[in-house]
Amino acid sequence: MDTKELLKKVRKIEIKTRRLSDHIFGGEYHSTFKGKGMTFSEVRQYQFGDDVRSIDWNVTARYNEPYIKVFEEERELTMMLMVDISGSEFFGTEQQFKNEVVTEIAATLAFSATQNNDKIGLILFSDQVELFIPPKKGRSHVLRIIRELIEFQPESKKTNLAEALKFLTNVMKKKAIVFVLSDFIADDYQRTLKIVSGKHDVTGIRIYDKREEAIPNLGLVQMQDEETGEDMLVNTASKKVRQNYAAFYKDKVSYYKDTFSRSGAGTIDCRIGESYVKKLLGYFKRRG
């Protein structure tokens, strides 16, 4: 993709997703994700109705009249976008591929965070961490994230979510809002997710295509595994083949939902062709 075409794509995504974040998600994001805690602001004289537990006894003793500590919410937050860029993300039977929907959702979230003057970071992962952009503020930083989401070419097509979560734990020492965007066709990340969720506010956003849920009866079909590159002939006329695939897919989705639920993390399911706007807004409102 040449520079002109890339900039055009970035601008198109910015216009669409910034409008959403400005008019729809900004306030919801603010009310859903609170500050990291209360930080000391000042000391003032005690007034009737103040909480006696806030009295600063040192200052009170010095001036022989009661003073209290005033705290305010520490508003600045850090959002980390963890995006699966393995081979299975380059799939779609509707108007878009999964990775295109992922890019739009990630951009919308990033601009919502920018409205609140929060930092945004990015982790692109396959079965390894392909790219890490440390959290920063500002529009130009968000545009860089969008550019990487559009044009980054991974070294691997496989998936290892646990490896990406371990990396997050190592680089993020303070609490962050973490969105994991993936189709979650992955295994063995329950233990790692539980550790991450114990420290960070984690939400999984599953992006999927309806054609992934079941194989239609199309007879003998040549298929390619997007993550291994392996070509194979699949007899889709076989009821057993279709049932085995459906069971495999259902098992992956169940593992994802059960794992996130047990870890205290949130989940959003976005099917290609559906409105991710409604899904995100509904999630924010339920949490707010």
Side-chain angles (χ1 to χ4, degrees):
M1 186 184 303
D2 61 36
T3 304
K4 188 176 179 181
E5 186 182 353
L6 174 62
L7 292 175
K8 188 177 178 181
K9 277 197 170 187
V10 171
R11 181 61 180 156
K12 184 178 179 181
I13 290 172
E14 181 190 12
I15 291 170
K16 179 177 180 178
T17 59
R18 192 158 195 168
R19 190 184 299 124
L20 291 173
S21 62
D22 287 348
H23 299 295
I24 301 176
F25 296 114
E28 296 296 339
Y29 171 88
H30 182 93
S31 61
T32 302
F33 301 104
K34 311 296 184 185
K36 288 179 283 188
M38 305 303 287
T39 182
F40 174 73
S41 176
E42 61 180 344
V43 173
R44 64 164 172 78
Q45 283 184 300
Y46 178 85
Q47 298 173 0
F48 178 75
D50 286 335
D51 190 341
V52 294
R53 292 173 296 181
S54 298
I55 292 176
D56 187 321
W57 294 107
N58 290 331
V59 177
T60 296
R62 193 178 307 145
Y63 291 100
N64 286 319
E65 57 181 312
Y67 278 77
I68 67 165
K69 294 177 181 178
V70 178
F71 294 85
E72 61 184 22
E73 185 185 15
E74 189 178 350
R75 177 56 234 168
E76 183 181 291
L77 300 168
T78 297
M79 175 191 287
M80 284 302 303
L81 298 169
M82 297 184 63
V83 179
D84 180 356
I85 56 170
S86 62
S88 62
E89 295 302 317
F90 295 85
F91 178 84
T93 57
E94 299 286 338
Q95 297 90 351
Q96 290 179 296
F97 289 123
K98 286 188 285 184
N99 67 307
E100 293 173 325
V101 177
V102 165
T103 298
E104 288 189 13
I105 294 174
T108 301
L109 293 169
F111 281 123
S112 297
T114 298
Q115 278 190 301
N116 287 280
N117 202 34
D118 295 340
K119 297 177 181 177
I120 305 104
L122 176 69
I123 295 173
L124 299 181
F125 69 93
S126 54
D127 61 347
Q128 62 191 30
V129 173
E130 300 273 358
L131 178 69
F132 171 54
I133 299 179
K136 282 179 65 177
K137 298 179 182 180
R139 172 178 174 269
S140 61
H141 181 66
V142 174
L143 294 181
R144 183 198 168 189
I145 286 173
I146 295 172
R147 286 198 303 272
E148 296 293 356
L149 286 167
I150 291 172
E151 71 166 356
F152 189 86
Q153 297 297 317
E155 291 184 9
S156 173
K157 290 186 176 182
K158 297 180 181 179
T159 310
N160 188 331
L161 178 54
E163 197 64 34
L165 291 168
K166 287 176 188 175
F167 180 84
L168 175 75
T169 302
N170 291 333
V171 296
M172 295 302 297
K173 300 304 179 185
K174 293 183 179 180
K175 184 177 179 178
I177 299 165
V178 180
F179 288 98
V180 186
L181 294 92
S182 173
D183 54 16
F184 293 97
I185 308 298
D187 300 301
D188 301 327
Y189 54 85
Q190 186 170 21
R191 181 175 173 274
T192 320
L193 180 64
K194 192 167 185 178
I195 293 170
V196 171
S197 297
K199 183 177 181 181
H200 303 290
D201 185 334
V202 182
T203 300
I205 304 180
R206 185 173 75 95
I207 295 90
Y208 68 101
D209 189 283
K210 64 181 180 181
R211 292 297 185 192
E212 293 177 298
E213 298 177 288
I215 299 176
N217 184 351
L218 299 173
L220 200 60
V221 178
Q222 184 166 335
M223 296 184 179
Q224 184 180 69
D225 187 317
E226 290 289 347
E227 298 204 358
T228 65
E230 181 185 356
D231 290 316
M232 62 194 87
L233 279 174
V234 179
N235 183 14
T236 63
S238 167
K239 186 177 179 180
K240 187 175 181 180
V241 167
R242 297 198 304 273
Q243 287 177 336
N244 286 344
Y245 174 81
F248 164 82
Y249 186 82
K250 187 177 180 181
D251 181 62
K252 296 297 182 192
V253 175
S254 296
Y255 179 77
Y256 149 74
K257 290 184 176 180
D258 183 63
T259 297
F260 272 75
S261 177
R262 287 174 180 269
S263 301
T267 58
I268 306 172
D269 284 359
C270 293
R271 192 180 78 192
I272 296 177
E274 289 183 328
S275 170
Y276 63 79
V277 175
K278 290 181 181 177
K279 294 295 182 75
L280 291 176
L281 198 56
Y283 178 73
F284 284 178
K285 286 184 175 178
R286 286 195 302 275
R287 285 200 42 168

